[in-house]
Amino acid sequence: MAPSREIRPSEKSRIARLPGSPGGRAKALTSLPGQAIMRLSWTPPRGRWRVRYLAVGLVAPINSKIRGHGFPVGEGAGAGQSRGGVLVGLADGHANPPREGGSFVPLTPVVALQLSVDGYPATLWLKLESHNPHGSVKGRTALALWRDVVPRVDPEFGIIESTSGNLGLALAAVAAGNQVPFTAVVDPRSSASLVDAVRALDGRVVTVDEPDGAGGYLLSRLAYIEERLAAQPRLVWPNQYANPANPAVHARETAPELRAQIRERPTSVLVAVSTGGTLAGFRRYVLTARPEWELVGVDVVGSAALGGTSGRRVLSGIGASRPSAFLPDGYRPTVWITPQEAVSACLWLAETTGLGIGGSSGALIASALRLFRATPRRTSVACLCPDGADRYLDSVYSTSWRDRQGLVSVDIGRGVEILAVHHPPRDPAAGGAAWSAARGAPAPDDSPKGRSR
């Protein structure tokens, strides 16, 4: 059996030398203590250490201080925790393990905030996708994309994908687990910690720094990929922007998970958009399973993803320079949020509850509070929070970054009182029947017509 080593980097470590490897180096990312654990094994034919198992949770430890802001991360749903800090499932194909008896365990928890908004009672449900393998909702997408393209993947040339960061990390882990090369095409707005994590997984990173003229870099990233594909036809592009596997996994898994966790009740469900795949998947589920949901898209000002006017954008992970291929006619209802509102919502939630969320999740929180204020009879809103605060320590949670971007805080929590924060069990036995029923809805069509209400 090949020898193995475990590496637990210190806070400042970036490269760890493995004893016994001939001049070999194993990369390991961390920006907070105890965040990365690698298990590597020596592969004689190629004369190198190969990643066999990697846990890069980018996990903010309980009661740690988030750099640049100084608030404590709350217990149980902090910044980017991933199933206790151990990233399981993606590389070996077990993203949603079966429970005893054949039902399934929802990957990510839902936290319920009991609020008073201008004196009216309300419940805000937060499904924390930071608990997914590799710390974001893109862990689900990455596995679905991999399963779709794996018959075409050449182990010598591997895969390439355009990413703002989260999908890149998840695909890098999948590629490492399957021993194929991976290239992430990113831009200057991508999180430095995520870029480092991709490299730690032996992924190649290409940074495209030419603006696309539509407020971002997406079109320039895609142009680079087209050039690479023309030069190397055996390279495979999963294409998260148009691959039907993207929305399909959310119609099949993510949406019914949420339905089972919040039980059957009239609820406004908010989903942020970048590629539009998650929102499109939720729409398919709503059209097929008919839960008592009002499905609402959330985008940022300056994004063209859902029919808005393109312009300058400063947040990564939400918005796009072009309309979503999954929702070419746009989507209604949609709420557009300014970056000031999104960032202010992140800081407000952290200060009042200790929950660390990412920038797109901040846009969801800001949208939810706007909806509560606009319609006092609306008493239940659920947000699919794509990732955690760990990816935004050098942006959203950095005072200097906010100052450079000219983002002045707004009073997002005006008139809002948090009465209670409930952390339900991760695997509630009593919810098994609801979970099975939600997953048992008819399979959504990959080509639905019409929109949800």
Side-chain angles (χ1 to χ4, degrees), residues 81-95:
Q81 292 176 318
S82 295
R83 306 187 74 172
V86 179
L87 302 188
V88 300
L90 254 177
D92 61 10
H94 298 291

Side-chain angles (χ1 to χ4, degrees), residues 25-110:
R25 295 192 300 173
K27 300 178 182 178
L29 167 76
T30 182
S31 57
L32 288 169
Q35 283 182 308
I37 303 174
M38 285 187 180
R39 186 182 299 277
L40 299 95
S41 57
W42 181 246
T43 309
R46 300 188 65 181
R48 63 183 300 181
W49 287 94
R50 168 64 64 180
V51 174
R52 297 298 186 190
Y53 175 82
L54 178 69
V56 180
L58 300 175
V59 180
I62 301 240
N63 297 325
S64 68
K65 296 278 188 176
I66 292 185
R67 184 177 69 246
H69 192 70
F71 54 78
V73 177
E75 180 178 358
Q81 292 176 318
S82 295
R83 306 187 74 172
V86 179
L87 302 188
V88 300
L90 254 177
D92 61 10
H94 298 291
N96 204 352
R99 290 175 50 187
E100 183 178 354
S103 60
F104 284 75
V105 181
L107 279 178
T108 59
V110 170

Side-chain angles (χ1 to χ4, degrees), residues 377-418:
R377 68 177 181 273
R378 179 186 276 111
T379 60
S380 179
V381 173
C383 299
L384 182 76
C385 299
D387 57 11
D390 56 296
R391 281 110 209 268
Y392 302 86
L393 300 181
D394 55 359
S395 56
V396 170
Y397 295 92
S398 165
T399 302
S400 60
W401 179 86
R402 298 196 300 270
D403 290 344
R404 288 195 304 272
Q405 302 301 330
L407 298 179
V408 179
S409 179
V410 298
D411 189 9
I412 202 75
R414 172 184 50 82
V416 181
E417 181 183 359
I418 297 179

Side-chain angles (χ1 to χ4, degrees), residues 68-196:
H69 192 70
F71 54 78
V73 177
E75 180 178 358
Q81 292 176 318
S82 295
R83 306 187 74 172
V86 179
L87 302 188
V88 300
L90 254 177
D92 61 10
H94 298 291
N96 204 352
R99 290 175 50 187
E100 183 178 354
S103 60
F104 284 75
V105 181
L107 279 178
T108 59
V110 170
V111 172
L113 307 183
Q114 298 298 325
L115 308 177
S116 171
V117 182
D118 295 334
Y120 292 93
T123 302
L124 179 59
W125 307 87
L126 305 180
K127 186 165 175 60
L128 301 176
E129 292 294 289
S130 58
H131 289 244
N132 261 313
H134 312 293
S136 79
V137 70
K138 294 293 188 177
R140 304 175 187 264
T141 307
L143 184 58
L145 294 174
W146 171 256
R147 286 172 171 165
D148 179 71
V149 303
V150 65
R152 299 186 282 117
V153 172
D154 187 319
E156 181 179 351
F157 295 94
I159 59 178
I160 186 171
E161 185 59 274
S162 163
T163 173
S164 60
N166 279 331
L167 183 71
L169 172 56
L171 278 177
V174 173
N178 289 276
Q179 301 188 31
V180 300
F182 171 65
T183 300
V185 183
V186 303
D187 62 56
R189 292 188 312 205
S190 300
S191 164
S193 63
L194 287 177
V195 170
D196 285 346

Side-chain angles (χ1 to χ4, degrees), residues 157 160 204 223-235:
F157 295 94
I160 186 171
R204 180 188 179 209
Y224 174 83
I225 287 181
E226 295 290 353
E227 293 174 2
R228 285 289 309 278
L229 294 175
Q232 182 45 260
R234 293 167 67 185
L235 187 63

Side-chain angles (χ1 to χ4, degrees), residues 80-377:
Q81 292 176 318
S82 295
R83 306 187 74 172
V86 179
L87 302 188
V88 300
L90 254 177
D92 61 10
H94 298 291
N96 204 352
R99 290 175 50 187
E100 183 178 354
S103 60
F104 284 75
V105 181
L107 279 178
T108 59
V110 170
V111 172
L113 307 183
Q114 298 298 325
L115 308 177
S116 171
V117 182
D118 295 334
Y120 292 93
T123 302
L124 179 59
W125 307 87
L126 305 180
K127 186 165 175 60
L128 301 176
E129 292 294 289
S130 58
H131 289 244
N132 261 313
H134 312 293
S136 79
V137 70
K138 294 293 188 177
R140 304 175 187 264
T141 307
L143 184 58
L145 294 174
W146 171 256
R147 286 172 171 165
D148 179 71
V149 303
V150 65
R152 299 186 282 117
V153 172
D154 187 319
E156 181 179 351
F157 295 94
I159 59 178
I160 186 171
E161 185 59 274
S162 163
T163 173
S164 60
N166 279 331
L167 183 71
L169 172 56
L171 278 177
V174 173
N178 289 276
Q179 301 188 31
V180 300
F182 171 65
T183 300
V185 183
V186 303
D187 62 56
R189 292 188 312 205
S190 300
S191 164
S193 63
L194 287 177
V195 170
D196 285 346
V198 171
R199 292 192 173 111
L201 284 159
D202 207 23
R204 180 188 179 209
V205 175
V206 174
T207 301
V208 174
D209 58 9
E210 180 181 352
D212 60 13
Y217 298 87
L218 173 60
L219 303 182
S220 300
R221 297 198 318 247
L222 297 180
Y224 174 83
I225 287 181
E226 295 290 353
E227 293 174 2
R228 285 289 309 278
L229 294 175
Q232 182 45 260
R234 293 167 67 185
L235 187 63
V236 172
W237 178 27
N239 192 0
Q240 63 164 323
Y241 307 95
N243 191 324
N246 181 346
V249 70
H250 300 295
R252 185 176 64 250
E253 296 180 7
T254 319
E257 272 185 29
L258 176 61
R259 184 183 186 183
Q261 289 170 297
I262 65 175
R263 310 296 173 85
E264 195 64 49
R265 68 189 76 207
T267 300
S268 298
V269 175
L270 276 54
V271 178
V273 65
S274 54
T275 67
T278 307
L279 179 59
F282 268 67
R283 184 182 70 170
R284 295 179 191 181
Y285 180 75
V286 168
L287 291 173
T288 304
R290 299 294 181 182
E292 293 187 77
W293 288 359
E294 175 196 29
L295 184 62
V296 180
V298 175
D299 205 352
V300 289
V301 173
S303 167
L306 296 180
T309 302
S310 61
R312 178 176 177 266
R313 302 187 307 282
V314 298
L315 293 177
S316 63
I318 185 170
S321 299
R322 66 177 190 179
S324 166
F326 301 114
L327 301 161
D329 299 322
Y331 183 82
R332 296 296 181 271
T334 292
V335 178
W336 277 271
I337 293 296
T338 66
Q340 290 92 336
E341 291 174 299
V343 170
S344 297
C346 289
L347 302 181
W348 170 79
L349 189 71
E351 290 167 348
T352 55
T353 70
L355 298 177
I357 58 171
S360 56
S361 301
L364 295 172
I365 301 298
S367 300
L369 297 180
R370 184 187 296 182
L371 293 176
F372 281 136
R373 293 187 180 107
T375 312
R377 68 177 181 273

